[in-house]
Amino acid sequence: AQRVTQPEKLLSVFKGAPVELKCNYSYSGSPELFWYVQYSRQRLQLLLRHISRESIKGFTADLNKGETSFHLKKPFAQEEDSAMYYCALSGRAAGNKLTFGGGTRVLVKP
Amino acid sequence: EAGVVQSPRYKIIEKKQPVAFWCNPISGHNTLYWYRQNLGQGPELLIRYENEEAVDDSQLPKDRFSAERLKGVDSTLKIQPAELGDSAVYLCASSLDLERGHEQYFGPGTRLTVT
């Protein structure tokens, strides 16, 4: 069975400080990992995917298969980064179905 | 483009009553998903459709939940009868197809409160 764990329910940082959201997964197969974000009063939306190896809004995430992790990082947090972040897992072995973690609320204080 | 449309946005019902949620996906999206999101948790898949066909309904509590996607466009999710534990946000999402199931577009959700 596939599972995604986000150990932190809440992360509170000051503007300009680094932020790292942890995500660990379990999956038997070749996983595809994603980060989804939900800003206040907005819809859940895709932020980035590991395959793209891209930086979106200053965020990056590296898939570490040895540690089964996909942590999300940003060196300098901004107030507009305050949101709920969900790590998600998919893969062909699971029929491309998305499994979400429990979410981490990020609060960036001025 | 309005994106995924869901209605109603909020619903309060008494236990044992029926309730239905409606979803209109993004035009051209063949795959449609229904999720339930309990407070403080991530979305959990209930059912997904490829066109009119339910390709994965293993997580749908079939004793009280039902869903349909007639004509492969709009979809309705029904609960009958509702229980207190059904209070949650019900999310609808769509993607171009199953292959691109990782890139889902979500609706605003329906917040259900069962009293």
Side-chain angles (χ1 to χ4, degrees):
Chain A
Q2 57 193 65
R3 175 173 288 191
V4 178
T5 303
Q6 294 178 248
E8 304 128 335
K9 285 291 187 186
L10 173 66
L11 273 181
S12 182
V13 300
F14 284 102
K15 177 183 173 180
V19 62
E20 179 180 29
L21 290 72
K22 291 184 169 46
C23 171
N24 290 90
Y25 67 91
S26 63
Y27 184 71
S28 51
S30 186
E32 295 181 45
L33 275 297
F34 310 87
W35 278 98
Y36 274 74
V37 62
Q38 186 168 24
Y39 300 102
S40 180
R41 299 187 190 87
Q42 294 188 29
R43 305 168 183 215
L44 191 59
Q45 58 187 288
L46 179 63
L47 178 62
L48 56 78
R49 65 196 78 178
H50 89 270
I51 272 182
S52 300
R53 291 187 161 274
E54 57 196 347
S55 172
I56 302 293
K57 299 184 178 182
F59 284 98
T60 59
D62 290 319
L63 177 59
N64 186 324
K65 291 187 178 181
E67 296 184 358
T68 60
S69 68
F70 187 57
H71 304 327
L72 183 68
K73 303 175 186 178
K74 185 169 183 176
F76 308 103
Q78 302 300 313
E79 289 183 68
E80 55 265 30
D81 296 327
S82 296
M84 279 295 297
Y85 292 80
Y86 294 94
C87 183
L89 166 70
S90 181
R92 289 190 178 278
N96 293 332
K97 183 168 60 177
L98 271 179
T99 297
F100 288 88
T104 297
R105 179 172 296 281
V106 171
L107 177 61
V108 182
K109 297 177 286 188
Chain B
E1 178 72 72
V4 176
V5 179
Q6 288 188 248
S7 69
R9 293 293 311 278
Y10 304 91
K11 189 74 177 179
I12 300 174
I13 60 171
E14 294 183 347
K15 62 181 181 183
K16 300 184 182 180
Q17 295 302 303
V19 65
F21 314 122
W22 175 81
C23 173
N24 181 246
I26 291 174
S27 177
H29 281 197
N30 294 330
T31 310
L32 183 146
Y33 312 79
W34 282 105
Y35 291 87
R36 176 170 57 191
Q37 185 172 22
N38 293 312
L39 190 63
Q41 299 181 21
E44 295 177 328
L45 182 68
L46 290 174
I47 187 169
R48 60 177 174 167
Y49 283 92
E50 180 71 2
N51 298 308
E52 305 90 356
E53 182 184 358
V55 296
D56 184 355
D57 64 355
S58 58
Q59 299 296 102
L60 190 72
K62 297 180 184 63
D63 56 337
R64 298 182 301 107
F65 285 65
S66 65
E68 61 183 11
R69 192 184 182 198
L70 300 176
K71 301 180 182 178
V73 181
D74 296 2
S75 178
T76 302
L77 177 69
K78 298 178 181 178
I79 309 175
Q80 182 171 10
E83 297 179 351
L84 294 176
D86 296 330
S87 294
V89 175
Y90 290 83
L91 294 167
C92 180
S94 68
S95 65
L96 274 170
D97 48 41
L98 282 177
E99 281 295 313
R100 278 164 282 197
H102 57 272
E103 189 166 353
Q104 296 181 23
Y105 294 81
F106 284 81
T110 297
R111 183 177 296 278
L112 174 67
T113 302
V114 182
T115 63

